[in-house]
């Protein structure tokens, strides 16, 4: 669409993987768990709902542990069942 012609397939593949890696890192950074930016954003939103700092911190820790555990279980299941071969 911009008039750029890519002659080299290896260059195209490199640009695709760089794009995919950047998008994946951006989405991971937006994940609403500590210590990522999404966790900081979620804590700021919770500050409007939960005024007690100690309770808010405990809620954030619980949310973070649950979300990171789900990611860990997903990675474990992917490796054990061989789903990574489909990528």
């Amino acid at each position: 669409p911009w008039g750029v012609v890519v002659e080299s397939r290896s260059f195209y593949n490199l640009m695709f993987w760089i794009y995919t890696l950047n998008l994946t890192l951006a989405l991971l950074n937006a994940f609403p768990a500590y210590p990522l930016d999404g966790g900081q954003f979620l804590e700021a939103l919770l500050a409007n709902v939960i005024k007690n700092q100690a309770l808010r911190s405990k809620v954030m820790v619980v949310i973070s542990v649950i979300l990171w555990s789900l990611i860990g279980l997903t990675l474990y299941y992917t490796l054990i069942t061989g789903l990574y071969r489909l990528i």
Side-chain angles (χ1 to χ4, degrees):
W2 297 306
V4 177
V5 178
V6 177
E7 295 290 330
S8 172
R9 184 73 175 164
S10 60
F11 178 75
Y12 172 78
N13 288 338
L14 175 67
M15 290 297 110
F16 172 77
W17 283 109
I18 289 173
Y19 167 78
T20 304
L21 181 62
N22 280 329
L23 182 63
T24 303
L25 288 175
L27 291 175
L28 177 67
N29 196 30
F31 193 62
Y34 277 141
L36 302 174
D37 288 341
Q40 305 299 322
F41 180 72
L42 181 60
E43 185 178 20
L45 288 178
L46 285 176
N48 295 328
V49 178
I50 303 172
K51 300 299 180 190
N52 186 352
Q53 173 65 32
L55 179 60
R56 188 169 60 241
S57 294
K58 288 178 184 177
V59 169
M60 278 303 301
V61 167
V62 168
I63 290 172
S64 296
V65 167
I66 290 170
L67 291 175
W68 286 118
S69 297
L70 289 173
I71 285 188
L73 286 173
T74 301
L75 291 174
Y76 174 76
Y77 181 76
T78 301
L79 293 174
I80 293 302
T81 60
L83 286 175
Y84 62 90
R85 289 187 223 126
L86 297 175
I87 297 175

